[in-house]
Amino acid sequence: MGSSLPTLLVVPTGIGCEIGGFAGDALPSARLLAAASGCLITHPNVMNGAALYWSDPRIHYVEGYGLDRFAAGEWALRPVRQQRIGLLLDAGIEPDLRQRHLQVADACRASLGLTIGPVVTTDHPLGVHLELGESGTSWGSLDRPDALLRAGERLKAAGATAIAVVARFPDDPESEALAAYRHGGGVDALAGAEAVISHLLVQHLQMPCAHAPALDPLPLDPQLDPRAAGEELAYTFLACVLVGLSRAPDLIACDGMVRPDPLHADQLGAVVAPAGALGGDAVLACLERHVPLITVANPSLLEVTVDALQLGGSDAVHEAGSYAEAAGLLLALREGVSPEALQRPLLPLREMPLQERPLQEQL
């Protein structure tokens, strides 16, 4: 097989994707795409499975804001052997629930050998609020973003090279949206607010960050959808975040300085995204760079499609009916096989029509 084909996989957060809208249910697809490409760059929404996780040296775990900056060519990614993960706890977490999260961190130190610490608690409760937009997508806000950023600064100054955030999220066990999510419908109501928290920290500190919500355990539900089951296995969702951050690449400004082994946006060979969710910054930046786009049939609440962006007929756009089919297209691109040659009918070549020479050339 040829050299790796660095590939960006995007499954936007909080839009109800059938694959990737639940507790790490895009992980099998990410593993397959990593095998096909040899190098996959994706974000925590794809990789986080609450108490479940999968470590793969071919997969780079990059928070969404950092991923956008990478795709735009503003930041590069530098692989590392390990990160020192600072743990940032919301002052609004109750003592017993706080202890559960500290025990998870200790378990990851003892059983997985992760480097975790120091631990910092915010000087005020963050005050997380959850909202649903008119389209049904999830988002949220903080009462005290300043407290979040101050705690992040303290961790960075104390030597942390990555930050795992645990914020106290509102409990609403009787919520219709939660019931729909647990039964395989609707959207992840927490995801939008989680993205707000991690985006703020990465933008402010330019270092790997990811978030795990602190919630009370839910009552047993015999009708649970398998895609939501990962969130029912433990008292916290922190383990997958710690594993993902443990080898998340450093975020390096593209300022012309020479650094060892950085991965740059101009090395991207493809970007893979749901067919109806092509309007995000990362995908649009890749399109501007003429990176081949593979769209995957993965229904969500959005309809920002190839047709909506007027990309129909472009040789750089390839449609896939599944992530398995997308993996086949990545293999073709990686091996230098034209995806067009794999389709039928294969249309004959047409000669370009002659164009009239400009008047100045005729003279």
Side-chain angles (χ1 to χ4, degrees):
M1 185 177 290
S3 61
S4 66
L5 183 84
T7 297
L8 191 64
L9 170 61
V10 179
V11 184
T13 301
I15 64 170
C17 286
E18 284 195 356
I19 297 176
F22 293 83
D25 70 305
L27 247 172
S29 300
R31 291 179 59 196
L32 182 63
L33 296 180
S37 66
C39 176
L40 189 73
I41 302 126
T42 192
H43 50 109
N45 183 57
V46 170
M47 300 300 295
N48 287 354
L52 304 175
Y53 46 82
W54 194 272
S55 185
D56 187 326
R58 298 168 298 187
I59 300 177
H60 298 287
Y61 183 93
V62 182
E63 190 278 338
Y65 181 87
L67 188 143
D68 289 344
R69 302 285 67 75
F70 167 74
E74 298 171 11
W75 292 357
L77 308 177
R78 183 173 62 195
V80 300
R81 284 194 173 88
Q82 69 170 0
Q83 298 284 8
R84 174 175 288 278
I85 307 169
L87 184 56
L88 193 162
L89 300 176
D90 181 359
I93 302 174
E94 300 90 332
D96 286 355
L97 192 53
R98 169 191 169 86
Q99 192 61 43
R100 293 287 188 186
H101 285 85
L102 290 172
Q103 289 172 347
V104 167
D106 276 339
C108 287
R109 293 172 62 225
S111 298
L112 304 179
L114 304 190
T115 303
I116 302 172
V119 179
V120 164
T121 299
T122 59
D123 51 30
H124 291 84
L126 295 178
V128 177
H129 300 279
L130 306 180
E131 303 286 347
L132 289 178
E134 292 184 5
S135 64
T137 58
S138 69
W139 61 285
S141 61
L142 300 179
D143 288 337
R144 296 300 300 265
D146 57 320
L148 174 72
L149 299 182
R150 281 194 298 273
E153 290 169 353
R154 288 179 60 199
L155 285 171
K156 186 173 184 178
T161 59
I163 296 177
V165 188
V166 183
R168 185 61 165 102
F169 272 47
D171 291 305
D172 190 3
E174 305 303 321
S175 162
E176 292 183 5
L178 175 61
Y181 174 78
R182 296 179 83 195
H183 296 161
V187 302
D188 182 352
L190 312 182
E194 290 193 274
V196 169
I197 291 168
S198 61
H199 287 9
L200 281 170
L201 279 171
V202 174
Q203 182 178 13
H204 187 65
L205 300 174
Q206 195 179 319
M207 58 192 297
C209 300
H211 177 267
L215 292 160
D216 287 332
L218 291 168
L220 180 67
D221 185 345
Q223 306 301 320
L224 194 69
D225 188 281
R227 293 172 296 173
E231 296 177 344
E232 311 283 330
L233 303 182
Y235 286 97
T236 86
F237 306 150
L238 183 56
C240 62
V241 168
L242 295 173
V243 171
L245 287 173
S246 67
R247 291 187 178 176
D250 286 336
L251 306 174
I252 307 298
C254 294
D255 53 10
M257 295 180 65
V258 178
R259 296 180 173 87
D261 302 323
L263 181 62
H264 295 276
D266 58 13
Q267 296 171 259
L268 282 174
V271 55
V272 180
L278 305 181
D281 288 349
V283 173
L284 295 177
C286 288
L287 289 172
E288 288 183 6
R289 291 175 169 274
H290 307 289
V291 176
L293 168 64
I294 298 175
T295 70
V296 181
N298 183 8
S300 73
L301 295 174
L302 301 184
E303 285 295 333
V304 185
T305 63
V306 164
D307 290 340
L309 295 177
Q310 299 182 340
L311 298 174
S314 171
D315 292 338
V317 177
H318 312 285
E319 297 182 1
S322 67
Y323 285 100
E325 187 177 340
L329 289 169
L330 284 179
L331 278 172
L333 293 172
R334 184 175 178 180
E335 291 297 314
V337 175
S338 168
E340 183 183 38
L342 305 175
Q343 307 294 329
R344 294 296 182 270
L346 180 61
L347 299 177
L349 292 172
R350 300 290 185 185
E351 186 176 357
M352 291 180 63
L354 290 173
Q355 295 181 340
E356 284 194 28
R357 291 181 298 162
L359 180 60
Q360 59 267 31
E361 291 185 12
Q362 297 179 31
L363 299 175

